[in-house]
Structures are given as C-alpha cells and as structure tokens.
Amino acid sequence: MLIGFRLQNFRSFLTEQTFSYATSADSAHASTHLLRTGIKSVPRLSKAAIVFGPNASGKSNLLVALGTCRDLILHSSSLTPAQFAERHTPFRFGPAASRATEFELDVVLDRVRYRYSMSYDSQRIRRELLLVHRTGKAQRWFERRFDDSLQRDEWAPFSPNFNGPRELWRKATPPGALFLTTAARMHSAQLAPLMHWVEDGLQVLLKRDMGDLEGFAARLHDRVFKSRLIRLLRAVDIPIDDVRAAAAGLEPQADRHPSIEFLYSRAGWAPVWANSVFESAGTHRLMSLFGPLMDAIDRGKLLVIDEIDASLHPLIARFLIQLINNPALSGRGAQILLASHNTSLMDLDILRRDEIWLMQRGEHGASVLAPLLRSSPRRQESVAKNYLKGRYAAVPVIRPTILEDRDP
C-alpha cells in the first residue's frame, strides 16, 4: 500500500510537493474507505484520492512522475545513457533546468514500511536511500551520494540488517543505475517485496495507455473475465448479452488491430453482433479501464488513472470509484489515484475530505499540490459548489475581455 509520494523539480513541479494517503482523524466512511496498515506511525490509509485543478496545472504530471519513478526502479540498469537522459525532465525555467529531479516512495508491505528516495540528473544517479521501519526506529539499509569534488559515489555503511553480497551489488551498479534495481536483479531476497510492489502492485494509466484492444481481446478467452465485464456493462446500463473477439480475416495484415464485437438482443428480432467501432467512446473507455480496475481490486494494487471521467457519464465515474470502496468486492488493499475535472466527484457522499486534492499554478507558474483539508471545509459542506466559486483556489481564472482586445 502506498503511504505517500514526494517529488521535486520534475516537469511543471519546481519545489518539493507531497501527496499522501495518510488520513485525518475524521470518522467519515471509516468502515468502507480506509485501510488498516498494522503499523503505529501510519495506522490508516485511504483507498481513493482524486486530484482536481485547472488545465495545465500539473495533474497529469503528478501521475507521469509516479510512472517515471516506477520505470527507473524497474529498468535503470538496462537503460542506455540516452534513454536515461530522457527520463530527466526538470522544471525548464531558471537554474532548476540543470538540477536534479527527486522522487520518494513511502510504502507499507506486510507491516514493514519502506521509504525509498532517489535523486538523478541527465547523467547519473545523484543520491539514493532506503529506510526500512520494521519496528519504531528506521534502519538505513543503504545510501549513496555523488561527490562532485571527488567525482565518485560516496557510500554510507550498509545496515547490518541488510544481508547478502552487498559489495558485489555495489560494484555492479553503474552511475546511471539504481542500486535498488541492481541488487534486486541480482536476487536480493530482502528487496524482493519492494520490487514486487513496484512491478506488480503499481499501475499507471495515462491517456496514451488507453485502448489496448489486443490485450483486452486476449482476456476475453477467460470466461470469468468476460462474465464480469458483461455484468459491469449491464450495471452501468449498457444492455449487452455477450462479447467476443472478432474472427481474424483470411489475409493477415501488419496493421490489423484486434476487433471486439458485442451481442445485442431486442424482443421480437434476431440478435445482432455489432463491431466495437460502432460503440461510443464511453464504452471503449470502460473496456480500457475494466481489466486494470479488476486487477487492482483482486490483487490489492494501486491503480493510477489520468482523467478517469473522460467520455464517461458522471454517475458511471462515481460508480467506478465506489467499487474500490465496496467491502464486498475490494478487500485486499486496493487503492486508486485519479486526476479529474469532474466536480460531481467532489462529493463527500463518495469521498472523505482528506481524499480530495487540489493542484494549481503557484510562483513562476510551477505546480503546487495541496489537500482540500488545508481549507478546513465543514463535514457537510458542498465542496463542489464552493470549489467552483473559487473558495479553495485551484480553478482557472477566466478573462473573457481578453477576446475583445484588438490583434496587433
């Protein structure tokens, strides 16, 4: 389970910003919306969180940052120097453009808390640290810092609680690779739980990741998957009777994409199979979301989705969020992090006050992330209405008179 994520100097983010699932003492929705961690320092976490804010404020960049952090942890040891440099996308204005990007993941797995941080620029890893909390006191399993004057990494002593051929792993870690990646790939048993969570417990869906019909079509051969999909579509008032991957044509084509067909029945007429090209954008969106959402619920994953409400009716978007909080369906620690413009989701009937986050542009146009709780909304407050009134900021400033200005 993710406790929090910290970032600095990445894309539209200049100063340090922190997102957290740690909850307030609020008792609202306590029986449905919260996860118990089993650790004293952070006893409860939220299952869901949504980030709201104006266009170009940084919502998508927050999700991209999580995806980039995941990518570096999984693949840093196999990236070419050019590929590694591409991952460094700092704030482009002022001196930050030449400075390092920083990420920190705070995760609890089986009552063990892992706080892993990295700092990197276009050339190398600048800093890396893993703190592990098995009891109250943190154990510093490893730490490295690049010394500019000596032009080499300086390593703190490894923790006696961190076992294995640590010096072998250290020597095998090149400048552009994370020690975590290298040691895990060289079979560190103690790092396996954290790496497993990053690889299999965290999924980031950006707009470019939607529409994977090939993977979706393959899963339709799973009867359980298909049955659950049909039930989901019916639950949101899409009246289909069956779904299948369409048969491939006789002539193979390199540019052929998988085709999905839906069966519709109408009283008094023969049933009809309709190709998915005739379906709405909303139905396509649901197909893209269904597999990752069910995987998150079944396996206790963190699912990150950009613009979940795109092409979906507001009531359907609300329904998908409620699935995560439904104890009858989701009992394995699933979490969801969303970016949205849909203020109908900013509703204290489906979210706690500490599950609503606001993004806005601050000094120098840099992204600033803050919890709604910072504005101290009342328990029964109409937060969506007050948000649109600008009470909490993080809304676009509309200037219609600009259109009246004459062109030069």
Side-chain angles (χ1 to χ4, degrees):
M1 293 178 282
L2 181 67
I3 297 174
F5 177 62
R6 180 179 63 81
L7 73 163
Q8 183 171 344
N9 197 28
F10 179 81
R11 292 197 175 192
S12 60
F13 293 92
L14 174 58
T15 59
E16 180 180 305
Q17 304 294 315
T18 302
F19 166 79
S20 176
Y21 279 108
T23 69
S24 65
D26 191 349
S27 61
H29 305 297
S31 63
T32 55
H33 287 44
L34 303 182
L35 297 167
R36 307 291 173 175
T37 67
I39 61 174
K40 292 183 179 180
S41 56
V42 189
R44 308 189 309 177
L45 298 174
S46 287
K47 295 181 181 178
I50 307 182
V51 183
F52 297 91
N55 295 103
S57 61
K59 299 185 301 298
S60 295
N61 285 340
L62 174 67
L63 311 190
V64 172
L66 262 171
T68 302
C69 181
R70 176 182 184 272
D71 177 60
L72 284 170
I73 292 173
L74 294 180
H75 305 298
S76 66
S77 60
S78 60
L79 296 175
T80 67
Q83 291 171 330
F84 181 83
E86 289 175 356
R87 271 66 176 177
H88 184 236
T89 54
F91 191 78
R92 293 297 186 184
F93 297 92
S98 61
R99 293 176 180 168
T101 292
E102 298 180 21
F103 295 140
E104 180 179 272
L105 285 172
D106 193 356
V107 181
V108 57
L109 305 170
D110 293 327
R111 299 188 178 187
V112 177
R113 184 176 183 179
Y114 300 85
R115 295 181 62 188
Y116 175 74
S117 58
M118 71 171 84
S119 171
Y120 69 99
D121 57 23
S122 61
Q123 302 296 316
R124 60 176 305 113
I125 303 299
R126 305 286 306 186
R127 179 176 177 270
E128 187 179 7
L129 170 68
L130 177 61
L131 299 176
V132 178
H133 303 252
R134 293 187 178 276
T135 55
K137 187 177 180 180
Q139 303 169 4
R140 185 181 61 182
W141 279 14
F142 60 80
E143 181 178 13
R144 68 194 267 210
R145 294 175 181 268
F146 182 70
D147 189 311
D148 287 292
S149 61
L150 299 175
Q151 286 295 295
R152 70 186 185 196
D153 281 325
E154 293 294 303
W155 292 77
F158 290 107
S159 169
N161 299 293
F162 178 45
N163 304 317
R166 302 168 302 185
E167 284 301 315
L168 175 65
W169 298 335
R170 182 183 67 79
K171 292 177 181 178
T173 305
L178 295 165
F179 176 81
L180 173 62
T181 312
T182 304
R185 296 305 180 208
M186 296 179 74
H187 310 295
S188 168
Q190 287 180 295
L191 296 178
L194 179 58
M195 285 294 290
H196 177 74
W197 182 86
V198 172
E199 185 168 14
D200 297 323
L202 168 61
Q203 183 172 8
V204 179
L205 290 181
L206 305 176
K207 285 175 283 189
R208 65 173 182 261
D209 302 317
M210 295 299 177
D212 177 20
L213 287 183
E214 185 171 353
F216 181 85
R219 297 192 68 176
L220 289 178
H221 297 293
D222 182 336
R223 288 182 296 175
V224 174
F225 178 85
K226 187 170 81 167
S227 174
R228 295 175 80 183
L229 171 65
I230 293 171
R231 282 182 285 151
L232 171 73
L233 293 174
R234 288 176 176 172
V236 297
D237 201 27
I238 298 177
I240 72 162
D241 296 288
D242 201 356
V243 60
R244 69 185 182 188
L250 297 178
E251 296 293 331
Q253 299 179 19
D255 60 348
R256 184 184 299 279
H257 296 288
S259 180
I260 309 298
E261 293 180 338
F262 295 100
L263 181 66
Y264 290 92
S265 298
R266 298 293 183 267
W269 289 317
V272 173
W273 283 100
N275 193 286
S276 61
V277 298
F278 299 107
E279 298 296 334
S280 70
T283 301
H284 281 260
R285 180 73 168 180
L286 280 171
M287 288 194 296
S288 297
L289 291 175
F290 176 73
L293 185 62
M294 290 299 103
D295 284 345
I297 289 174
D298 292 343
R299 299 167 59 188
K301 297 170 58 173
L302 167 59
L303 179 60
V304 179
I305 307 174
D306 194 14
E307 296 187 14
I308 187 175
D309 50 292
S311 302
L312 295 182
H313 191 281
L315 291 179
I316 295 179
R318 290 168 67 98
F319 171 73
L320 295 181
I321 295 168
Q322 289 169 325
L323 289 179
I324 292 289
N325 290 322
N326 185 339
L329 294 174
S330 180
R332 297 190 177 181
Q335 293 174 295
I336 194 167
L337 172 60
L338 312 173
S340 178
H341 294 287
N342 184 356
T343 56
S344 72
L345 302 178
M346 195 181 278
D347 186 339
L348 299 185
D349 285 338
I350 63 169
L351 292 173
R352 291 165 48 90
R353 290 176 295 173
D354 50 20
E355 295 174 340
I356 299 173
W357 289 75
L358 303 174
M359 190 80 75
Q360 61 183 325
R361 292 184 294 274
E363 189 177 8
H364 307 301
S367 298
V368 177
L369 177 66
L372 175 69
L373 276 181
R374 185 171 296 181
S375 300
S376 302
R378 299 183 305 276
R379 291 192 178 192
Q380 303 302 321
E381 188 165 320
S382 177
V383 292
K385 181 178 179 180
N386 290 334
Y387 167 72
L388 292 175
K389 288 181 177 179
R391 183 168 296 180
Y392 319 124
V395 292
V397 179
I398 307 298
R399 302 180 180 90
T401 57
I402 290 180
L403 295 175
E404 300 172 7
D405 294 342
R406 292 175 178 268
D407 293 330

